[in-house]
Amino acid sequence: MMKLYKRMILLLLVLCGEAPMVNAQSFSIAGKVADTKMAVDQMIYLKFKQNGKEIKDSTQMVNGVYSFKGTILYPVKAILQLKVPDSIETYYNTRHFLKEYSCTFYLERGTITADSRKTLDQSLIKGSGADAHARELEVILKPYYKQGDMLYKQEGRQAYERKDSVAIAAYTKKMYVNESRIDSVRKAFMLSHLQSGVALDMLMEYTRSLMDPGEIEPLFNRLEPSLKASDEGKVYWTRIQEAKRTAIGTIAPDFTLKDSESKEVSLSSLKGKLVLLDFWGSWCYPCRASHPHLKKLYQEYKSKGFEILGVSSESGKPEEDYKKWTTAIKEDGMNWLNVLSNTNRSERSRGILNQYSVAVFPTKILIDKNGVILKRFAGNTPENARLLDQTVKDYLEHHKL
């Protein structure tokens, strides 16, 4: 009876977000750096974060050999680094070069070795399963990143330099195809490594632009307890819960904003129509590149009860934002409803973007005649355009508006 009581108390604590801290686990690092010429002293430094607190440690190297011991609550990215002259640090930072005097890896409990025959950045990490998984994924993704780099060098760079909109569109289409393949590879790897120390980072990367709580919550629940109990895990859990407010199948929250003539337009006033919310900005190239497609879609289905409500997010001075916004509307021929959300960047954690869990531009949300969210689309990809077309067509064929 007592065991059952304790389990019930623990369950209540977890549900209230007040579960006891996961016990700290011991780790040790034994390493060797062959090339320490850049270092100003014979010290090596270890840095990592735990629940928002930065942990720093240092130890002396003897002929390049060093060791660390400590405790950790959950697997995390850590940095081993030599102290170098400020001029060298500045040089590498300004040019965004890989730092030869630094090594980033996944630190977790157990015995870890970090040996390098040359510079510190070439350290071979052993004993960290999380780091091994991260390196494995890097190897799998390397050909795709190489292909993306080649695509930019061969087509993208010249297109942008010439400001050739046709060439840019062609390059962007190919880029999205490659990025879609990368996303598929990442997802497959993530699903087979949910018990790894890298799983939370993989989930965050996977949902960087689009969060489907129905898909993600069960995956999050499969993570190891220490990751779920971390501050990062708790923040991510909160994001999952917030995403539920505008998930597929929920009622779209109402809002009222002004159009270019200062007339108030509310989402609820469009009830009875199939509505596409388009979150965009005059500054957002992928957003504006999607407008030709929206023009065709609007022209084809407007008479059948389809409406688009563009919500532009600008972040400058009101007068300048209004001019940029209205200019973009005219240039893009956006003959549907448009309203302006003049939101300072410091306030973007609030307001309509937060209300609709908008994490990337463009974000498009399709809402049925009863105000229920049917579909979310993040980014301007050929697949999103195809799926949007098909969803609008299917809905209007089966619902008389």
Side-chain angles (χ1 to χ4, degrees):
M1 187 68 179
M2 182 60 70
K3 288 183 179 180
L4 178 61
Y5 175 75
K6 288 182 178 179
R7 288 176 183 170
M8 291 177 65
I9 293 296
L10 180 60
L11 178 60
L12 287 172
L13 288 171
V14 170
L15 291 174
C16 294
E18 299 177 1
M21 184 65 72
V22 176
N23 292 332
Q25 301 288 327
S26 299
F27 71 82
S28 66
I29 304 173
K32 178 177 175 60
V33 188
D35 185 352
T36 61
K37 292 192 296 289
M38 299 178 75
V40 298
D41 55 27
Q42 289 301 304
M43 301 293 292
I44 187 167
Y45 301 84
L46 173 67
K47 295 187 293 184
F48 59 94
K49 285 186 177 180
Q50 292 281 268
N51 291 333
K53 181 180 179 181
E54 188 170 51
I55 310 297
K56 296 181 180 180
D57 197 1
S58 62
T59 189
Q60 189 170 19
M61 296 181 291
V62 179
N63 296 324
V65 176
Y66 63 90
S67 64
F68 288 97
K69 287 186 178 181
T71 58
I72 198 167
L73 297 169
Y74 55 94
V76 68
K77 278 186 177 179
I79 298 175
L80 285 166
Q81 189 164 316
L82 305 178
K83 183 172 178 58
V84 297
D86 292 342
S87 58
I88 292 180
E89 183 78 18
T90 301
Y91 177 82
Y92 276 84
N93 286 336
T94 55
R95 287 163 177 76
H96 305 288
F97 289 163
L98 291 175
K99 298 178 179 179
E100 298 177 16
Y101 52 90
S102 179
C103 172
T104 300
F105 69 106
Y106 273 92
L107 176 63
E108 61 182 5
R109 64 179 180 268
T111 302
I112 296 173
T113 60
D115 291 330
S116 173
R117 294 181 180 179
K118 293 183 179 180
T119 52
L120 183 60
D121 66 311
Q122 297 181 21
S123 295
L124 179 62
I125 306 296
K126 292 184 178 180
S128 169
D131 195 74
H133 293 151
R135 303 304 171 201
E136 181 183 351
L137 181 58
E138 283 182 4
V139 171
I140 296 172
L141 291 175
K142 189 174 181 179
Y144 298 97
Y145 287 129
K146 185 177 181 180
Q147 184 176 350
D149 290 340
M150 288 179 60
L151 185 61
Y152 176 74
K153 291 176 182 177
Q154 294 173 356
E155 299 183 31
R157 179 188 292 162
Q158 296 178 13
Y160 283 113
E161 288 175 351
R162 297 196 311 266
K163 296 182 180 179
D164 184 337
S165 59
V166 175
I168 290 173
Y171 161 71
T172 302
K173 185 175 181 179
K174 293 179 182 179
M175 180 190 69
Y176 278 135
V177 171
N178 191 53
E179 288 183 351
S180 178
R181 291 169 180 162
I182 291 173
D183 289 341
S184 296
V185 171
R186 281 185 176 278
K187 181 180 179 180
F189 191 88
M190 176 187 71
L191 292 176
S192 62
H193 292 79
L194 287 173
Q195 287 298 305
S196 170
V198 301
L200 180 57
D201 284 346
M202 287 193 294
L203 269 180
M204 290 179 177
E205 176 64 25
Y206 176 61
T207 57
R208 178 168 41 87
S209 58
L210 185 64
M211 164 74 77
D212 178 357
E215 175 193 17
I216 300 304
E217 187 170 6
L219 301 181
F220 178 85
N221 288 332
R222 289 169 59 186
L223 300 185
E224 68 168 73
S226 66
L227 286 175
K228 290 190 288 185
S230 68
D231 278 6
E232 296 89 337
K234 291 175 182 177
V235 169
Y236 191 71
W237 173 257
T238 299
R239 185 187 165 201
I240 293 173
Q241 303 314 307
E242 289 176 346
K244 289 181 179 180
R245 296 180 308 195
T246 52
I248 294 172
T250 62
I251 297 293
D254 192 22
F255 62 87
T256 301
L257 291 169
K258 293 181 179 180
D259 66 11
S260 59
E261 297 179 352
S262 296
K263 294 180 180 178
E264 291 189 341
V265 179
S266 65
L267 177 62
S268 56
S269 68
L270 302 177
K271 199 167 184 179
K273 295 184 176 183
L274 177 64
V275 179
L276 181 69
L277 277 185
D278 178 29
F279 290 95
W280 70 288
S282 65
W283 44 269
C284 171
Y285 177 82
C287 302
R288 299 185 63 176
S290 73
H291 291 159
H293 170 249
L294 290 188
K295 285 176 66 177
K296 293 179 181 178
L297 191 67
Y298 191 56
Q299 184 177 0
E300 184 173 358
Y301 294 109
K302 179 184 178 181
S303 62
K304 298 179 182 179
F306 176 60
E307 187 57 75
I308 301 175
L309 177 55
V311 182
S312 178
S313 291
E314 309 292 334
S315 59
K317 295 179 180 179
E319 302 82 11
E320 295 175 356
D321 284 347
Y322 179 83
K323 185 176 180 180
K324 292 176 182 177
W325 170 53
T326 52
T327 299
I329 290 175
K330 291 177 183 177
E331 289 178 347
D332 295 358
M334 301 166 68
N335 59 338
W336 51 85
L337 293 172
N338 265 286
V339 293
L340 176 62
S341 175
N342 182 268
T343 310
N344 291 329
R345 294 188 187 279
S346 60
E347 297 174 347
R348 284 194 172 182
S349 60
R350 301 187 293 275
I352 191 170
L353 299 183
N354 181 57
Q355 190 177 29
Y356 275 87
S357 297
V358 176
V360 67
F361 289 88
T363 287
K364 294 175 171 60
I365 300 176
L366 193 62
I367 303 168
D368 76 6
K369 65 178 182 178
N370 298 313
V372 176
I373 293 176
L374 291 176
K375 211 80 176 175
R376 293 180 66 104
F377 306 89
N380 176 31
T381 67
E383 177 60 20
N384 276 350
R386 186 198 66 77
L387 188 57
L388 174 59
D389 288 352
Q390 191 63 50
T391 307
V392 170
K393 179 183 178 182
D394 290 347
Y395 183 87
L396 293 176
E397 284 182 352
H398 294 87
H399 299 80
K400 291 185 178 181
L401 304 183

